[in-house]
Amino acid sequence: MTNLNPSPLTPADLDPADFAPADLAALGEGHIAYVRPIRSDEVRRFFPQAPELLPGLDLFALLSASGAPIMLADSRDVVLANAVAQDLQPVSLH
């Protein structure tokens, strides 16, 4: 990626061809967290260390801007509260 000028951005600063996948994954890291509905059947894909869960449960995952797992809960409100407690701006991922 090219070095960006700290002054106001121009369209040239935002050329998608200059962004590597790692650059895009790092955008918002430490500031934004994604709230994602998740079924218990797919928990291990995001949380490999999670214990075996009953299939068919509706859960919520909190993921960092890069997609790294932060927490899993059975309540959206719990996940949102955790994001706010960690000074993260939660956004929904559908």
Side-chain angles (χ1 to χ4, degrees):
M1 186 171 135
T2 59
N3 291 328
L4 296 178
N5 184 342
S7 62
L9 296 176
T10 67
D13 293 322
L14 302 175
D15 183 356
D18 288 339
F19 284 88
D23 295 328
L24 294 175
L27 289 176
E29 193 67 29
H31 304 285
I32 295 173
Y34 296 97
V35 177
R36 182 187 192 279
I38 185 173
R39 299 284 297 205
S40 56
D41 310 40
E42 60 182 335
V43 165
R44 287 265 174 105
R45 188 174 81 168
F46 295 95
F47 299 86
Q49 74 285 7
E52 194 67 35
L53 299 172
L54 292 173
L57 298 175
D58 292 321
L59 304 168
F60 294 89
L62 184 65
L63 308 169
S64 73
S66 66
I70 297 173
M71 77 166 298
L72 181 68
D74 62 354
S75 164
R76 186 174 188 275
D77 290 338
V78 168
V79 170
L80 289 171
N82 185 274
V84 171
Q86 295 186 50
D87 293 325
L88 297 170
Q89 177 63 47
V91 296
S92 292
L93 187 61
H94 302 281

